[in-house]
Amino acid sequence: MKKLFSALLAAAMLAGCSNGGASTPSAAPADEAKEYNIGVAIYQFDDNFMTLYREELKSYFESLNTDDVKYNVTIVDGKNDMNEQSNQIDNFITQGMDVIILNLVQTSSADALIDKIVAAEIPLVLINREPLAYDADGNTLDEAYEGILNNPTVCYVGADARQSGTYQGEIVAELPDHGDINGDGKVAYLMIEGDPENIDAQYRTEFSIKALTDAGIEVECLDDQIGNWAQANGETIAKNALTQYGEDLEVIFCNNDAMALGAAAAITAAGRTVGEDIYLLGVDALDECVEMVNNGTMTGTVLNDHIGQSHTAVDVAVALLNGETIKDYYWVDYVKVTK
Ligand code: BGC
């Protein structure tokens, strides 16, 4: 009896506090927070840019937790191994994730992974590595990808790598000597590429040079090597080219900043000076590279907006959790970074 009386009293007080007694009071306990489980598969933790991206993704999800909703985020490391990542996706499906955010190890495996995620009726946000359309012979096409177009709960969030390449080339074209340090009428360059299967690497390689030739500048490719996005590879490739081509080498284009950091070390070791006898370009705008651009030890970089991309990915994931209709593609702009 006493218990019942205090419960009634508490309910009356609650009703009085919350709504002035205007509507029907309820003694029911407050609803528990709604919990969502989010599985995030990153191609490889050991990647400067994707580390910033995943940390921002996690903290942005955390910032959205309220008394009513809680996002449990599980992030796994694909270790740049497609089999490992495929197993991780199987686990996410078994664990009944409510949404999956996927940074593919290999875009050529997109179909297989998307098919099983869609079959499990889990919405999917693809990030950073854009899967491409391909023809019957498996050749990639410059068109939107059917795995995204045909599945209303699958989308891609990323940045158009053509823009980043173009910005790199434009930074060189806008220099007083247009990159032609020795005045022989052409820009002799070294290209250090990321993972060749990755469209970011392909487009940056192509469009950086296209921006120069579009500006009427003659170019000469001294060497084009694959550095797989890694700093140590950038250093080795730049070191070899500096030894082989010496003063003939005028510009080093790197598909990302990690490799540009490596190239910068090789440039210093070779006794060369950025801005005086060589130019160096990257993409991502890692903090240390923005600092280098400001102090002149790097010619320029391009902001690959990990904050904009990760927030967009999370916002779209939340929209999917709320059953909202989403777009196929979400694009975040690159930004030129020069002194
Ligand atoms: C970034 C690279 C990164 C790669 C990973 C690119 O967009 O510029 O730094 O290694 O994504 O897929």
Side-chain angles (χ1 to χ4, degrees), residues 50-99:
M50 286 316 299
T51 298
L52 296 173
Y53 194 125
R54 95 182 122 91
E55 284 169 356
E56 187 60 35
L57 193 109
K58 186 162 182 282
S59 60
Y60 184 53
F61 257 124
E62 278 164 9
S63 76
L64 298 182
N65 284 332
T66 65
D67 290 344
D68 299 325
V69 58
K70 184 164 186 316
Y71 300 103
N72 302 318
V73 184
T74 306
I75 309 187
V76 293
D77 179 3
K79 303 192 181 112
N80 208 15
D81 176 341
M82 200 56 241
N83 287 331
E84 170 94 22
Q85 185 168 67
S86 184
N87 290 335
Q88 291 170 339
I89 295 300
D90 291 341
N91 287 338
F92 281 169
I93 292 172
T94 314
Q95 290 158 6
M97 290 295 175
D98 296 303
V99 65

Side-chain angles (χ1 to χ4, degrees), residues 43 47 49-50 103 128-129 198 200 204 229 255-257 283-284 304 334:
Y43 97 94
D47 178 299
F49 174 74
M50 286 316 299
N103 173 211
N128 172 258
R129 294 183 155 192
N198 189 317
D200 287 4
R204 288 174 193 166
W229 305 120
N255 281 174
N256 76 347
D257 276 355
V283 175
D284 282 337
N304 190 2
Y334 284 101

Side-chain angles (χ1 to χ4, degrees), residues 175 260 264 267-268 272-281 287-301 337-339:
L175 292 166
I267 287 171
T268 308
R272 304 279 293 269
T273 310
V274 171
E276 285 177 23
D277 56 27
I278 196 158
Y279 295 120
L280 174 64
L281 287 300
D287 283 349
E288 52 269 59
C289 292
V290 173
E291 209 178 302
M292 287 165 70
V293 170
N294 286 332
N295 70 27
T297 50
M298 230 175 118
T299 311
T301 183
V337 180
T338 52
K339 203 171 172 184

Side-chain angles (χ1 to χ4, degrees), residues 26-291:
S26 161
D31 280 351
E32 300 233 321
K34 181 132 187 60
E35 290 205 23
Y36 291 111
N37 296 317
I38 293 104
V40 181
I42 299 294
Y43 97 94
Q44 170 165 249
F45 279 7
D46 184 15
D47 178 299
N48 305 30
F49 174 74
M50 286 316 299
T51 298
L52 296 173
Y53 194 125
R54 95 182 122 91
E55 284 169 356
E56 187 60 35
L57 193 109
K58 186 162 182 282
S59 60
Y60 184 53
F61 257 124
E62 278 164 9
S63 76
L64 298 182
N65 284 332
T66 65
D67 290 344
D68 299 325
V69 58
K70 184 164 186 316
Y71 300 103
N72 302 318
V73 184
T74 306
I75 309 187
V76 293
D77 179 3
K79 303 192 181 112
N80 208 15
D81 176 341
M82 200 56 241
N83 287 331
E84 170 94 22
Q85 185 168 67
S86 184
N87 290 335
Q88 291 170 339
I89 295 300
D90 291 341
N91 287 338
F92 281 169
I93 292 172
T94 314
Q95 290 158 6
M97 290 295 175
D98 296 303
V99 65
I100 291 175
I101 298 179
L102 173 58
N103 173 211
L104 284 161
V105 170
Q106 280 171 5
T107 48
S108 54
S109 298
D111 281 352
L113 268 69
I114 291 175
D115 286 351
K116 54 186 176 185
I117 294 169
V118 169
E121 295 183 4
I122 302 175
L124 171 65
V125 181
L126 295 158
I127 57 166
N128 172 258
R129 294 183 155 192
E130 185 193 347
L132 297 170
Y134 54 88
D135 64 17
D137 300 325
N139 302 316
T140 53
L141 303 169
D142 207 4
E143 289 168 17
Y145 164 65
E146 292 193 347
I148 291 173
L149 299 182
N150 295 343
N151 290 304
T153 57
V154 178
C155 69
Y156 175 74
V157 174
D160 180 353
R162 283 172 283 214
Q163 194 184 31
S164 53
T166 302
Y167 284 168
Q168 282 190 310
E170 283 178 3
I171 292 171
V172 175
E174 285 156 11
L175 292 166
D177 61 7
H178 316 296
D180 181 13
I181 297 173
N182 57 24
D184 67 352
K186 58 183 194 300
V187 173
Y189 69 90
L190 161 69
M191 182 67 67
I192 307 184
E193 295 195 33
D195 168 7
E197 199 208 70
N198 189 317
I199 192 65
D200 287 4
Q202 294 168 25
Y203 278 158
R204 288 174 193 166
T205 299
E206 180 186 346
F207 282 79
S208 53
I209 302 310
K210 186 174 181 299
L212 286 176
T213 52
D214 282 354
I217 296 166
E218 208 177 307
V219 294
E220 182 189 5
C221 178
L222 294 179
D223 206 355
D224 185 333
Q225 296 282 334
I226 289 160
N228 274 322
W229 305 120
Q231 183 166 340
N233 296 340
E235 182 164 356
T236 309
I237 294 167
K239 180 173 178 260
N240 292 343
L242 285 159
T243 309
Q244 190 172 350
Y245 301 104
E247 295 285 327
D248 289 343
L249 178 55
E250 294 166 299
V251 181
I252 301 183
F253 286 103
C254 301
N255 281 174
N256 76 347
D257 276 355
M259 297 188 294
L261 285 169
I267 287 171
T268 308
R272 304 279 293 269
T273 310
V274 171
E276 285 177 23
D277 56 27
I278 196 158
Y279 295 120
L280 174 64
L281 287 300
V283 175
D284 282 337
L286 300 178
D287 283 349
E288 52 269 59
C289 292
V290 173
E291 209 178 302

